[in-house]
Amino acid sequence: MENMEKGTHKIMMPLKEASELTGLSYSCIRKLCLSNEIRFIRSGSKYYVNTASLMQYCERGCTA
């Protein structure tokens, strides 16, 4: 999360990268997308999460 604090973040990121950044599992982040807990887009079979939305979710306290 250091890169996020320095302002060098991406607007969207794939689930694998989001998982590595937050420490949440890939499947947990996918479930957050499917339950509309965080904003995302889907391109074919790939999911990309909105970084700001993911960080807001984590700041509220990751409860998934």
Side-chain angles (χ1 to χ4, degrees):
M1 293 227 273
E2 282 181 28
N3 287 344
M4 300 302 296
E5 294 167 1
K6 293 179 183 177
T8 58
H9 64 278
K10 300 177 183 179
I11 294 174
M12 304 296 284
M13 69 175 64
L15 294 185
K16 183 178 178 185
E17 191 174 328
S19 175
E20 293 168 358
L21 178 69
T22 62
L24 296 172
S25 70
Y26 179 96
S27 61
C28 176
I29 295 177
R30 186 173 180 275
K31 287 178 186 177
L32 291 172
C33 292
L34 295 176
S35 64
N36 291 315
E37 296 273 345
I38 58 176
R39 290 180 288 173
F40 72 100
I41 59 170
R42 186 172 171 190
S43 178
S45 63
K46 299 192 184 264
Y47 289 79
Y48 296 89
V49 298
N50 178 276
T51 306
S53 178
L54 179 61
M55 291 301 108
Q56 288 172 353
Y57 177 82
C58 287
E59 287 173 3
R60 290 192 310 259
C62 299
T63 58

